[in-house]
Amino acid sequence: MVQGKSDPNYKVIAENRRARFDYAIERDLECGIILEGSEVKSLRASGANIAECYASVEDGELWLTNSYIAPYGQAKTFGHEERRRRKLLVSRKELADLWNATQRKGMTLVPLVMYFNHRGIAKMKLGVAKGKKNHDKRETQAKRDWSRDKQRLLKENR
């Protein structure tokens, strides 16, 4: 199913915009997140940040560390811890592939986007990535600047 404006349930909660600049994304995959009730309510109000978080395979499980979900004001008694480790759900085959990928030199698991899918379920898109060097970042910036200038020039010539 194509997500977008036509689907009322699809909603981006948080996006790691810096990930594609700092890392070369080799491939990405969708995974589920185990959340508490107050966390889901807070996410529906768009209270999340995944900029400083990372994922790792530990003891045969996939974990999301240092992600921030804002406290939900109405959940006074049964609130949640904002920066707790959250378990991510993937199949055994995907977990084995992720573990093998992270054992290679320089590969890491980077959260790209957290969203509600077309069924209204919270999902996380992870990228298997390799960190970029400074010269790679400068090259990416130069390409982005040139494409922006090219679009501006084409628009002026019309």
Side-chain angles (χ1 to χ4, degrees):
M1 176 170 202
V2 177
Q3 289 106 0
K5 294 180 182 174
S6 63
D7 193 350
N9 291 329
Y10 182 80
K11 178 184 175 191
V12 173
I13 304 163
E15 189 174 6
N16 189 353
R17 297 176 53 95
R18 192 117 178 113
R20 295 198 189 273
F21 181 74
D22 290 336
Y23 299 95
I25 309 296
E26 191 174 282
R27 65 184 179 91
D28 58 4
L29 76 141
E30 181 183 71
C31 56
I33 315 168
I34 294 180
L35 297 171
E36 295 176 1
S38 61
E39 290 174 329
V40 176
K41 293 277 196 178
S42 180
L43 290 178
R44 295 230 181 261
S46 298
N49 184 2
I50 60 169
E52 296 103 27
C53 70
Y54 61 94
S56 60
V57 179
E58 299 171 14
D59 299 327
E61 295 177 334
L62 186 61
W63 292 94
L64 182 68
T65 308
N66 202 29
S67 63
Y68 175 78
I69 297 179
Y72 186 62
Q74 284 76 18
K76 302 244 186 291
T77 309
F78 300 104
H80 64 273
E81 189 179 328
E82 288 102 12
R83 290 203 180 267
R84 73 177 182 91
R85 284 178 43 177
R86 293 168 177 90
K87 190 173 178 181
L88 299 176
L89 304 171
V90 292
S91 70
R92 283 189 181 150
K93 182 183 182 309
E94 287 174 335
L95 186 66
D97 290 345
L98 291 175
W99 188 82
N100 287 332
T102 55
Q103 296 307 306
R104 293 190 306 208
K105 186 177 179 187
M107 300 303 278
T108 185
L109 300 175
V110 180
L112 300 175
V113 64
M114 183 185 287
Y115 59 94
F116 287 111
N117 69 359
H118 67 281
R119 291 174 47 205
I121 297 171
K123 298 286 183 177
M124 170 77 69
K125 185 170 281 192
L126 283 182
V128 178
K130 186 174 183 114
K132 287 184 183 178
K133 305 279 188 222
N134 280 337
H135 61 86
D136 294 331
K137 291 179 186 179
R138 284 192 295 270
E139 185 179 315
T140 303
Q141 185 68 36
K143 284 180 185 175
R144 188 179 301 133
D145 289 344
W146 168 241
S147 66
R148 193 178 303 126
D149 290 343
K150 188 168 56 173
Q151 290 296 324
R152 184 178 46 80
L153 289 171
L154 287 172
K155 191 174 183 180
E156 287 176 0
N157 289 337
R158 286 185 191 180

